[in-house]
Every structure is written in structure tokens, then in C-alpha cells.
Amino acid sequence: MLQALDDAAVGQWCRTAVAALSGARDRIDELNVFPVPDGDTGTNLLLTAQAAVAALEAAGPAESAWTALSRGAVLGARGNSGTILAQLLRGLSDSLAGAGPADGPALAAALQQAADGAYSAVADPEEGTFLTVARAGAEAACAAVTAGGTALADVVTAAADGARAALEATPGQLDVLRTAGVVDAGGAGLSLVLDALVTTVTGVEPARPPLHRRPQRGGHGHGHVPHQPPPGPGSEVQYLLADADEAAVAVLHRRLAALGDSLVVVGVDTPTGRQWNVHVHTSDVGAAIEAGIEAGRPHGISVTPLAPVRPAEPVPGRRAVVAVVPGDGLALLFAGEGVRAVTCGPDGVTEDQVLAEVVASAAAEVVLLPNDPALTPAASRAAERARELGRDVAVVPTRSPVQGLAAVAVADPGRRFGDDVIGMAEAAAATRWAEVAVAEQEALTSAGPCRPGDVLGSAEGDVVVIGADLAAVACDLLDRLLSAGGEMATVLVGPDPALGDAACAHLAAAHPTVEVVRYESGAAVPLQIGVE
């Protein structure tokens, strides 16, 4: 039973980890579905660990084992998970190199610092991944020390157990893992590495259930799938970067973050100066390499096409509603009604975004609500592509979020799909919709000319009121809508709650028999109204 990790123990740990990763490589590769299902996570982790061991064995007697292994890992890192593993080892080295044998408290603190550093190294960290497992292991180690378990064996056992528990929870944090029925591949590899540390310290390998293999899906499958959902960035670009200072690397980091995702940049000191391992998934390979050239001297460049994302098989009998909404407030509102929301920005939404949400629902039957006439074509194209992937998708051509809410209100998964679509379409069509907005430029409208700053009240897409005051126009618009009758008014209030107060007060005074439902939409449009 080791009381502290000296250089010999660090070497033994690395060799044990390599053996564990070698034995589990195929299983980890099979688990690999995130960030892209390219089936190489186990291979990349093994190559990275082997590079660390090779550097350790080639190191001189005066060099710390931590320094050598972190340098070897960073310079030899492969893939997204391999680069994050290298960052963790570099973080341990930053804390422990040259500090003498590491006891339990020292190792726990180093694990926490390494996990924090790994989060910082990744441009857009996701939960339910390698990072989550690393943090859980570090926090468990620190908790053991706080509880009085300062022995090295207690600390490493707590770290490995905490990481394994977090690994088993990863499918609940990432939809892609839950849909595939697997745990995170990178986290599985790290769990093995920490178990190897327990074996090194205690002499006893932890008893763990085997890693589950990815379940085989039945059915006809998709040998060749036309119009697959976009796989995201098309290539994995990785290179080492020399002759670059911290400022240049910071600029490089920003440029690559704008070019792609899965960005990890890890630096390490070498005998010839500091070098960085740069990893990114991007569709613009040339720009990613050019950014490296402008920052310093890239070498060891590798470009690997990413595997296309295979859509999950739809679950028979599962039904979903997908709505396109202008803003996070409305997204939360629809989500509260059990609807999957696609938030569109000022430039609208793409059919790829809509299709991705349809596929992510894993539903065999999907109703699409575009909630804007300008977005109906994109929704229709996404529906066509989804049908090619085995989904039954119907577009209810809602022209406003209030019509979408009316459709959702009558949705009934117990009905036949076709009947449910008809019922939703009828509810949407029976909802007259209007909105209050502010003119941004001069224009000739159906109610006359308007100037920038004028308040416009439109019904069914046509301007019917022009005024100077938001509340006055809103009240006039409500009166016009209700002149044809109505039992319920839905009011979606934008950034100014006072406007909603004025509209609801007018309804209570002028139309007391009308039921009023008010929501804070969070949208930029001052007021949206639906009358049923």
C-alpha cells in the first residue's frame, strides 16, 4: 500500500493505464457518439497515454516524472478526448512536479486544479462528458480529505468511485448519449485511468461492471440515407504550435472558436520552448491552419474527415411537437407545454436547425409549428427530409406564436396522428392574430404611410392602426379584433410589462366577458395578441 506517489509510482500508474486502455480500446471506440460518432475515442486515449509513457521512459534522471509524462501527453495527444487527457496530466504536473512524493491531500488538490484547468482549456464545455467525469472524481477526492480520509489509498479510491458514478450518470445529461444508450466514451476512458491509479496505490484492481457495448438497433436501418442531418464541422484539424507567445495563442483561440467547435488548446514547456497542441472540428480546414501560421509555427498537422452523424431511429408510437419561436422567453413558454422549441435569431432559422430538433426528439410522429409565414418554407423542407429518415412529419402553418399556442392547447397524443394534426390546424386557423410593433423605416402600409418610431398595429399581417403611443394602439387593435366576437384573448407581452398591464386593464374594462391569458414572451415584439 503506497503512502505517496513518487516518480516510480507515477511511471507504474501510466503503464497500468496504458494496459487498461489497450484492453478496453474497442469497447470505448464503440461508445463514441459525442461530439461526433467517429469511433476513435479509445484509440486516441491509448495513443495519448502511450506517448506519455514513451516520454517518461526517455526522460533523464533529473527530470520529474510528472513533467516528462505531461510533455509527452501534450505533444502526442490525439483527438478531442486525448487532448483533454493531456490537459489533465499537465494540470497534475503543474501542481506536483518538483514537490516531492504526493500524499493524499496533495493529490486531491492537484486533481481539482487539473479538472478546473481542463474546463478552461475547452472552448465550449459540455456536461455529461469527459470533463464532468474529471470534475466529479476531483471533487470526490477533495471530499474524502475533508472527511478525514487523508491516506493516499482513500483519496484515489474516492476519486475513482466518484468518476465512475458520474460516468454512469452521463446519459442523463446528454441527449445523444441517452438516445444511443451509452455512457460518454471519453469519461469511460478516464474512469479506467483512475482505476489504474487505484490499482497502483493499493495493489488491488477495483471491481467494476464491464463497460456496456452500444446496443444494436433492429429494423431496416439506414445503409444510405439521403439528406442526412448536417454532421457539423466536417474535419478534425490538429497540430502542434511552436514559436507563439500567449497573446498570439489567445487570438488563435478566438479565431478557431469562430471557425468550429470541439476546440481544445493545451500548452506545455519543452526544452526548445513552449508548444501548444491545437485541436478543432471545422468545415474550413484552410482557415484553421492559416490561423495557426499567423500565430506561430504549426507542425505535425493532421486533418481527418469526421464521420457523418447517423440519425437515431425514431421510437414507434412516440409523438412530438416542434415549434420555431423568436426568443428564449417563448422557447421556455412552449417548453412548459411539452413542446420542443427551436429559437430563431434575427436572420430566421435554417431547415437544418429544424431538422436537427425533429431528429433529436426521436419521435416517429412530429408536428411542426413554424409560427411565422416567412419560416413555413424552411419547416416544410425540413419535414420532407425528415420523412426520408422514416418520420411522419406534418407542418401546421401557424403564422404567429399565439396560433402555435392555440394548436398546442388542443394537441392530444391519444388521437390518431392525422386527426390530431387536423385538430391542431383547425384551432390555429380559428385564432385571429395581431401584434403591436414600432416602425424602423418609412413605408407605405395598408393603413397609410408611416415613419420611423411610429407605432404599428397589424392584424393577420396587415397594418390596420398607426399611432404614436404603444398602449393606445394596443387598445385600438384589441377593439378591432374583438369587434367580430371572441371568447378568449391570449396576450404575449414583450420587453415592457407596463404595456401588458394597459392591454389587460382595457380588456377587463371594455370586454369583461372575454377570458384573458397573459404570458411574458421575452420577445422583442412589444405585444402579440391572439383571439379565439
Side-chain angles (χ1 to χ4, degrees):
M1 187 79 68
L2 297 180
Q3 303 304 310
L5 283 177
D6 57 13
D7 280 4
V10 170
Q12 182 58 39
W13 170 35
C14 286
R15 286 184 284 273
T16 303
V18 165
L21 291 170
S22 179
R25 176 177 61 181
D26 290 342
R27 281 177 291 164
I28 296 174
D29 282 346
E30 286 181 4
L31 297 175
N32 179 199
V33 297
F34 180 86
V36 289
D38 44 5
D40 62 359
T41 293
T43 300
N44 288 335
L45 288 172
L46 175 59
L47 292 173
T48 303
Q50 288 174 331
V53 170
L56 189 59
E57 293 177 346
E63 186 175 25
S64 164
W66 291 110
T67 301
L69 76 90
S70 67
R71 183 180 67 250
V74 171
L75 298 182
R78 295 292 183 272
N80 188 65
S81 292
T83 308
I84 298 174
L85 175 62
Q87 169 63 32
L88 286 173
L89 293 175
R90 203 213 75 181
L92 290 173
S93 176
D94 288 347
S95 297
L96 301 175
D103 60 10
L107 180 62
L111 285 170
Q112 187 65 67
Q113 180 175 321
D116 292 343
Y119 266 89
S120 299
V122 177
D124 294 302
E126 291 266 7
E127 293 303 331
T129 63
F130 192 121
L131 295 173
T132 306
V133 175
R135 182 177 60 193
E139 290 176 347
C142 292
V145 172
T146 301
T150 58
L152 181 62
D154 294 336
V155 169
V156 297
T157 300
D161 289 347
R164 185 68 182 217
L167 173 67
E168 297 297 337
T170 54
Q173 296 173 287
L174 273 180
D175 286 343
V176 66
L177 300 179
R178 181 167 51 252
T179 300
V182 297
V183 296
D184 179 68
L190 177 60
S191 183
L192 291 178
V193 171
L194 292 175
D195 280 350
L197 181 57
V198 174
T199 303
T200 301
V201 171
T202 67
V204 179
E205 182 178 354
R208 308 284 190 201
L211 294 173
H212 297 295
R213 293 184 181 273
R214 188 174 181 180
Q216 297 297 313
R217 298 188 181 276
H220 60 276
H222 294 285
H224 170 69
V225 182
H227 302 300
Q228 286 196 82
S235 296
E236 177 183 64
V237 178
Q238 190 160 18
Y239 51 80
L240 297 175
L241 183 70
D243 302 336
D245 57 25
E246 297 286 347
V249 171
V251 173
L252 171 66
H253 197 280
R254 290 194 295 272
R255 288 191 60 185
L256 293 180
L259 287 173
D261 57 23
S262 295
L263 172 61
V264 189
V265 180
V266 182
V268 68
D269 291 325
T270 74
T272 58
R274 193 162 183 80
Q275 293 202 48
W276 283 262
N277 193 316
V278 179
H279 173 279
V280 68
H281 292 173
T282 181
S283 57
D284 195 341
V285 173
I289 296 174
E290 181 181 346
I293 293 172
E294 293 181 5
R297 180 174 59 84
H299 60 102
I301 299 170
S302 68
V303 177
T304 307
L306 295 173
V309 175
R310 293 290 177 185
E313 294 284 353
V315 178
R318 180 179 294 182
R319 188 175 300 173
V321 179
V322 175
V324 182
V325 294
D328 293 336
L330 281 172
L332 290 173
L333 176 58
F334 274 86
E337 301 297 324
V339 175
R340 301 180 70 98
V342 181
T343 303
C344 66
D347 297 326
V349 70
T350 67
E351 63 185 88
D352 287 340
Q353 291 173 289
V354 179
L355 178 61
E357 197 64 37
V358 171
V359 171
S361 74
E365 300 170 339
V366 182
V367 179
L368 275 178
L369 305 175
N371 294 329
D372 185 328
L375 301 179
T376 299
S380 297
R381 291 192 298 270
E384 290 176 6
R385 291 168 59 183
R387 294 183 195 111
E388 293 176 350
L389 300 177
R391 275 80 173 166
D392 190 358
V393 183
V395 178
V396 174
T398 49
R399 298 166 61 83
S400 167
V402 291
Q403 286 193 325
L405 289 171
V408 170
V410 301
D412 182 358
R415 292 189 291 194
R416 285 181 56 254
F417 181 58
D419 293 339
D420 202 26
V421 171
I422 292 172
M424 295 174 71
E426 289 176 343
T431 301
R432 300 190 298 279
W433 60 280
E435 66 180 35
V436 176
V438 177
E440 297 181 354
Q441 59 188 13
E442 290 188 11
L444 182 60
T445 76
S446 53
C450 71
R451 296 180 177 83
D454 284 348
V455 180
L456 308 179
S458 60
E460 305 288 328
D462 291 326
V463 176
V464 295
V465 184
I466 300 176
D469 180 74
L470 283 167
V473 169
C475 294
D476 189 348
L477 187 60
L478 284 165
D479 291 339
R480 290 169 183 260
L481 281 177
L482 290 166
S483 64
E487 298 177 354
M488 185 173 76
T490 301
V491 179
L492 303 183
V493 183
D496 184 7
L499 179 58
D501 294 341
C504 291
H506 178 75
L507 286 168
H511 307 278
T513 62
V514 175
E515 179 184 354
V516 179
V517 180
R518 171 178 174 170
Y519 299 106
E520 308 302 318
S521 71
V525 178
L527 197 70
Q528 298 175 79
I529 305 162
V531 172
E532 301 175 46

